[in-house]
Amino acid sequence: MKRPVRSLSGMVGIAILAALVLVAVFAPLISPGDPLAITARPLLPPLADWAHPLGTDRLGRDLVAGLVHGARTSLAVGLAAAVASLMIGSIIGTLAGFLGGWTDEALMRVTDAFQTVPGFLLALAFVSVAGPSLPVIVLAIALSAWTGPARVARAEVLSLRERDFVASARVIGMHPLEIAFREILPNALPPVLALSSVIVAAAILTEAALSFLGLGDPNRVTWGGMIAEGRAVLRSAPYLSIIPGIALVLAVLGVYLAGEATVERAARRVGHA
Amino acid sequence: MSPPLLIVENLTVSYPSAQTPALSDLTLNLQRGERLGLIGESGSGKSTLARAVAGLLPRGTSVAGRIEWPALNRPAEPGRDIGFVFQDAGASLDPVMRVGAQIAEVVRADRNLSWHEANKSALDLLAAVSLPDPATLARSYPHQLSGGQRQRVAIAAALAGEPALLLADEATSALDTIVQAEIAALLDRLVRERNMALIFITHDIALASNLVSRIAVLQDGRLVEEGVTHDVITRPSRPYTRELLAAHWELPAP
Amino acid sequence: MPRALRLIRRRLLTSIPVLLIVLIGTFLLLELAPGDAVDAYLVSSGGDAAMIEALRTRWSLDASPLARLGAYLWAVLRLDLGWSVSFSRPVLDVVLERLPNTLLLMGSATFLSFSLGSLLGVAAGSRPGSWRDRLLSIGSLALYAVPGFWLGLVLAVIFAVRLRWFPLSGIETIASGKQGLARVADIAWHLALPVLSLGIIYCALYLRMMRAGMAEVWRQDFTLAARARGISRHRIVWRHVARNALLPLVTMLGLQSAAILGGSVVIESVFSVPGLGRLAQEAVSSRDTPLLLGIILVSAVLVILINLAVDCAYAGLDPRVGGSEAA
Ligand SMILES: Nc1ncnc2c1ncn2[C@@H]1O[C@H](COP(=O)(O)OP(=O)(O)OP(=O)(O)O)[C@@H](O)[C@H]1O
Ligand SMILES: [Mg+2]
């Protein structure tokens, strides 16, 4: 009874995500040229000129071009930050769970510390100190997002540590770190990966918020930056802020729905096996 | 003769996801105050029968046949007409509510009493199931009690509505032997004092034989044998029953 | 209640290393920042070479990194969080001045999201699989995807720009001279939109947790047992299922406090609420790193204190925590 709705929402999510990826990949073809270039009269409202279907901003930059190129930034940052935080998280979680003792204690206190500082403030501080460029932004987001994967990885490793295959790896004299990363980590990965859609979605939102506060990469179009741009003319041209926000909502929703569907399918497969 | 308390006629029950019915074409009667033992191997449908009688089958289960309550002249209501005691007493109590309140809420659901009166009656019930110091006990949470104490609390909750039928689904199997015997003796006394009918579901035939006057044997959802306890135990008519008896009494099967 | 005291002590003890790590982290960020405190100080007040040297020694900037860390920790221990260049005042003073506004915003938003979210969660979870349930879960998922600052802007466009029901920014009418209840009402009127934008986003989280928690509790035997005892459905839903499902939500309240504090940074910027978040943005734009790190430190302490309070509330709600205690 619940299945159809569920899989429908999963399909919607995958469709949104696929469309977004296509737009991001083919951005230079869909909207050639510099998206930051001034191409028309400023503050052209949407649907007034077919050359600029969604209108132009205060400086006369095309909104569609901004959206298309902004998709690149959002997706790239979202994915990169998620990969980085999953990697950091699973390495730290594996070390903590596998080595145990004082290492575990110390690593878990570090994890606690990162969870105690509001992630967004940390990202803000990091970007403001290190300067806004894409790699710094990615790292800043990862800094505040790796703790979840670390905890999951640690819990998983703790439950795997005493299994037979680990014992036999010990017997044949494998180096402990080799056991941790070649035998245990791959087995601990699935539940960690299940977090990825949530992390990608959160990363996209964090990037947007950073850009909104003026801490995005200044050489790139970002949706958050576009929304901030539009604020100056919120009374006369609210569409400038509202339209990029809709793109943001769709992107995050797509990631969530697609992720939920994937996790559910994986769970079903495990359930059947 | 007064009308029977419960009539089950041609009852067939199928769970939503199952191919074969969990109960098929089962017919059974129970008089007021009568005690029936229900035995059968695991998966034979004992709990299904108990849940069907108590109206507790999961949604989507298909039920055919009749369940009637001639002595009540109306459909039975859970709690008020049927008291249900589960196997796992710990799991059948809300972990974050004081046990006194859990009994009092049953009292209130079945009788129109104030909380104050309901609490008093909960203390009486705790005393009735032979729990020492009911006043202190009523204020504790389930995790603070022993397994036997929890099962007594669960029995008190089942009694709270003053039901005409007590359904005990393996109410003693999770307990150790000494406590089992105590709980069985308690049920025996309560059923006698309050003139309740009892359906006692168990794997322990020895325990059942001291408690019930009739035994019904279930196999794969069918009623395969039914009779007076003594007869079923000494002269089982079915090889299946004989095996059940042998398994539990360690008698050589003839 | 000794049980709660034990919990508090344990939480406080584990907080010490955590705070120490946070301090080391902020110290590292401070070191990473281009220029040092003296440069920043000179930008704001000017001075000659002799003064530079004097300041460098006084703030032990010429010492080894470890000695500098020691000096930093010692200063923080004396509640000296450094000097804010942009405000020309001690960091702690500036931060504490803005803290109440943020606490008010956070507290109200948390109250809104928790109460509304859990109520809607009960509505969805009381009949799993019903249309109401499906509608609410899809709606909450959509809400999950909405960035708070954008929601704030949309609400501002509708309710402040178009309808003019609420003010666009600020925390109270400037120089209105309002006192007592009138002032409270004025602040509430100003905070309505920020609280709404911040609260609604997190509402989705509590809704989904409540719903999932209730589904979990429905599967437990005691709900069936309660039905068997003739307890009304209404009472089972509220007193048993929702009551048990509430517990993880309370834990979440503590875990989310850091996130909602981060969220208020952006919301405060949108609505120009003079709180910690707005201050953080000001610190970033005026490159006032000591101020920014002071805000981080105070937030971390705040998060620890909130978690402490949540622990106590949890101990009150769940009799099983903190070891068994004789009845
Ligand atoms: N909720 C359910 N959904 C689907 N099938 C069920 C469900 N409950 C029980 N069954 C199936 O119905 C059959 C009868 O189960 P029931 O629980 O009545 O047996 P039982 O005699 O009580 O067994 P036990 O002695 O182990 O308690 C079994 O095959 C069981 O797998
Ligand atoms: Mg059973």
Side-chain angles (χ1 to χ4, degrees):
Chain A
M1 236 168 77
K2 251 166 109 182
R3 281 286 151 70
V5 175
R6 275 294 164 101
S7 49
L8 180 70
S9 63
M11 301 242 280
V12 170
I14 290 166
I16 295 177
L17 207 56
L20 213 64
V21 170
L22 285 180
V23 166
V25 169
F26 296 109
L29 293 181
I30 300 170
S31 147
D34 183 1
L36 292 172
I38 293 166
T39 53
R41 145 176 107 72
L43 291 178
L44 198 64
L47 306 179
D49 177 355
W50 280 114
H52 308 280
L54 292 178
T56 57
D57 73 1
R58 260 191 323 155
L59 300 176
R61 295 176 295 201
D62 183 39
L63 211 62
V64 172
L67 286 184
V68 167
H69 287 265
R72 287 195 129 182
T73 320
S74 274
L75 280 192
V77 171
L79 282 178
V83 169
S85 48
L86 287 173
M87 263 168 48
I88 302 175
S90 37
I91 290 175
I92 291 192
T94 305
L95 285 177
F98 186 75
L99 298 175
W102 276 105
T103 321
D104 183 22
E105 189 64 29
L107 287 176
M108 285 335 280
R109 288 294 88 79
V110 171
T111 314
D112 281 345
F114 272 89
Q115 281 183 325
T116 302
V117 173
F120 187 70
L121 269 181
L122 182 62
L124 199 71
F126 189 74
V127 175
S128 109
V129 164
S133 66
L134 271 200
V136 168
I137 292 170
V138 166
L139 200 61
I141 296 173
L143 272 184
S144 58
W146 62 270
T147 51
R151 285 192 189 282
V152 174
R154 174 175 175 271
E156 221 25 54
V157 167
L158 281 180
S159 77
L160 289 170
R161 199 166 62 166
E162 310 302 332
R163 297 280 179 81
D164 288 346
F165 65 87
V166 180
S168 56
R170 276 207 184 93
V171 168
I172 61 170
M174 237 190 213
H175 189 274
L177 282 183
E178 205 179 341
I179 300 177
F181 287 103
R182 296 207 20 203
E183 300 289 319
I184 296 186
L185 182 57
N187 286 295
L189 228 38
V192 179
L193 289 181
L195 295 175
S196 44
S197 70
V198 179
I199 293 183
V200 172
I204 291 177
L205 287 175
T206 309
E207 189 276 332
L210 283 173
S211 307
F212 177 75
L213 292 185
L215 287 171
D217 187 333
N219 303 318
R220 285 173 174 272
V221 199
T222 62
W223 291 342
M226 290 169 76
I227 297 175
E229 254 297 311
R231 265 184 87 185
V233 284
L234 198 60
R235 284 170 195 277
S236 52
Y239 66 92
L240 283 178
S241 287
I242 292 179
I243 292 174
I246 293 174
L248 204 48
V249 171
L250 280 179
V252 174
L253 198 61
V255 171
Y256 270 137
L257 292 178
E260 208 166 69
T262 319
V263 169
E264 220 162 79
R265 186 172 315 160
R268 265 211 295 286
R269 232 189 357 250
V270 171
H272 280 299
Chain B
M1 198 180 147
S2 62
L5 176 65
L6 166 69
I7 298 180
V8 175
E9 217 171 78
N10 309 111
L11 183 68
T12 302
V13 173
S14 309
Y15 286 110
S17 54
Q19 266 106 43
T20 52
L23 282 182
S24 22
D25 204 24
L26 186 133
T27 298
L28 198 73
N29 280 0
L30 196 71
Q31 298 297 324
R32 262 192 186 282
E34 190 184 4
R35 300 154 171 221
L36 174 72
L38 210 52
I39 62 174
E41 63 189 354
S42 196
S44 57
K46 304 182 297 289
S47 298
T48 304
L49 177 58
R51 285 162 145 241
V53 167
L56 293 177
L57 288 170
R59 257 193 294 174
T61 311
S62 75
V63 181
R66 293 191 306 148
I67 299 176
E68 282 176 7
W69 303 83
L72 297 178
N73 279 321
R74 56 180 169 81
E77 288 172 28
R80 205 175 129 193
D81 302 309
I82 308 161
F84 206 119
V85 186
F86 293 84
Q87 169 170 359
D88 185 351
S92 79
L93 296 169
D94 186 333
V96 298
M97 194 189 254
R98 295 181 196 276
V99 298
Q102 299 199 46
I103 297 172
E105 80 173 346
V106 187
V107 175
R108 266 174 60 87
D110 298 308
R111 277 173 282 159
N112 220 346
L113 293 182
S114 70
W115 270 109
H116 183 71
E117 291 166 310
N119 281 328
K120 267 203 305 209
S121 128
L123 293 185
D124 293 342
L125 284 160
L126 285 171
V129 293
S130 310
L131 279 166
D133 196 3
T136 315
L137 209 106
R139 272 184 275 114
S140 35
Y141 291 95
H143 75 277
Q144 296 165 328
L145 306 181
S146 73
Q149 284 176 322
R150 268 180 234 155
Q151 194 56 287
R152 283 172 197 268
V153 169
I155 292 172
L159 295 177
E162 299 177 346
L165 168 64
L166 195 62
L167 262 167
D169 187 355
E170 310 205 31
T172 58
S173 348
L175 307 168
D176 64 51
T177 333
I178 296 174
V179 184
Q180 263 186 13
E182 284 172 13
I183 296 286
L186 173 71
L187 288 175
D188 185 43
R189 174 170 66 76
L190 289 170
V191 168
R192 189 157 16 85
E193 282 174 5
R194 295 171 182 242
N195 192 28
M196 288 186 292
L198 172 72
I199 296 183
F200 188 77
I201 298 176
T202 186
H203 283 119
D204 190 336
I205 297 162
L207 198 67
S209 62
N210 292 324
L211 204 58
V212 299
S213 52
R214 242 175 1 125
I215 282 185
V217 184
L218 285 187
Q219 179 183 17
D220 295 335
R222 286 169 201 284
L223 186 68
V224 292
E225 179 155 4
E226 194 203 345
V228 176
T229 305
H230 181 77
D231 295 350
V232 173
I233 286 176
T234 51
R235 289 188 308 270
S237 63
R238 293 290 196 114
Y240 173 74
T241 313
R242 242 171 270 147
E243 276 168 38
L244 277 179
L245 290 170
H248 287 277
W249 256 331
E250 288 168 340
L251 291 179
Chain C
M1 198 159 76
R3 199 159 54 101
L5 283 181
R6 260 207 312 277
L7 273 169
I8 292 176
R9 206 182 52 202
R10 205 178 55 215
R11 173 69 81 168
L12 281 179
L13 279 180
T14 52
S15 308
I16 292 171
V18 168
L19 260 183
L20 199 67
I21 294 169
V22 171
L23 276 169
I24 294 175
T26 51
F27 173 76
L28 286 178
L29 276 174
L30 203 55
E31 293 279 298
L32 208 78
D36 58 28
V38 173
D39 295 331
Y41 184 76
L42 291 179
V43 170
S44 72
S45 54
D48 54 24
M51 186 181 161
I52 294 177
E53 269 323 298
L55 276 176
R56 286 233 150 86
T57 348
R58 201 173 105 214
W59 290 348
S60 28
L61 292 177
D62 295 325
S64 70
L66 216 57
R68 279 207 299 275
L69 176 61
Y72 177 69
L73 293 181
W74 175 234
V76 171
L77 209 63
R78 290 184 332 236
L79 293 181
D80 172 9
L81 297 191
W83 186 259
S84 161
V85 183
S86 49
F87 285 84
S88 298
R89 286 171 61 198
V91 166
L92 191 64
D93 292 3
V94 182
V95 170
L96 289 184
E97 196 175 275
R98 299 288 192 97
L99 188 60
N101 290 341
T102 296
L103 284 181
L104 191 59
L105 174 61
M106 254 180 86
S108 322
T110 304
F111 178 77
L112 174 73
S113 58
F114 189 82
S115 48
L116 191 65
S118 49
L119 281 178
L120 289 176
V122 174
S126 60
R127 282 190 197 279
S130 64
W131 272 109
R132 189 171 62 184
D133 175 29
R134 273 187 254 175
L135 215 67
L136 280 170
S137 11
I138 290 176
S140 68
L141 194 68
L143 215 51
Y144 238 32
V146 176
F149 62 91
W150 180 74
L151 180 67
L153 284 178
V154 172
L155 291 179
V157 167
I158 299 172
F159 293 105
V161 175
R162 290 281 134 88
L163 296 173
R164 295 173 180 280
W165 287 356
F166 293 100
L168 189 53
S169 65
I171 185 147
E172 58 183 320
T173 313
I174 296 162
S176 66
K178 283 184 174 144
Q179 290 298 325
L181 272 182
R183 182 164 179 233
V184 170
D186 187 45
I187 292 179
W189 184 53
H190 275 81
L191 279 185
L193 289 183
V195 166
L196 211 59
S197 345
L198 193 56
I200 283 185
I201 303 290
Y202 290 98
C203 179
L205 173 78
Y206 294 112
L207 192 164
R208 293 178 73 76
M209 274 197 81
M210 189 60 161
R211 179 181 169 275
M214 285 183 72
E216 187 79 32
V217 178
W218 275 121
R219 277 196 291 275
Q220 291 180 27
D221 285 348
F222 69 82
T223 56
L224 183 71
R227 266 173 64 202
R229 290 177 197 138
I231 313 290
S232 69
R233 187 178 170 88
H234 180 80
R235 195 173 158 85
I236 296 180
V237 166
W238 288 97
R239 283 296 287 142
H240 296 286
V241 181
R243 170 72 172 75
N244 275 276
L246 191 67
L247 295 173
L249 263 77
V250 173
T251 313
M252 191 41 97
L253 212 50
L255 295 177
Q256 276 307 105
S257 57
I260 211 161
L261 198 53
S264 66
V265 174
V266 211
I267 295 294
E268 285 178 12
S269 298
V270 171
F271 291 99
S272 309
V273 177
L276 273 195
R278 173 90 193 151
L279 187 65
Q281 204 213 347
E282 288 164 18
V284 167
S285 43
S286 56
R287 310 213 134 271
D288 192 345
T289 311
L291 179 58
L292 190 54
L293 297 181
I295 295 170
I296 289 187
L297 266 185
V298 171
S299 317
V301 173
L302 191 62
V303 169
I304 289 176
L305 291 179
I306 293 175
N307 274 291
L308 197 65
V310 167
D311 274 0
C312 294
Y314 192 93
L317 285 174
D318 189 343
R320 288 163 297 185
V321 294
S324 60
E325 150 194 61

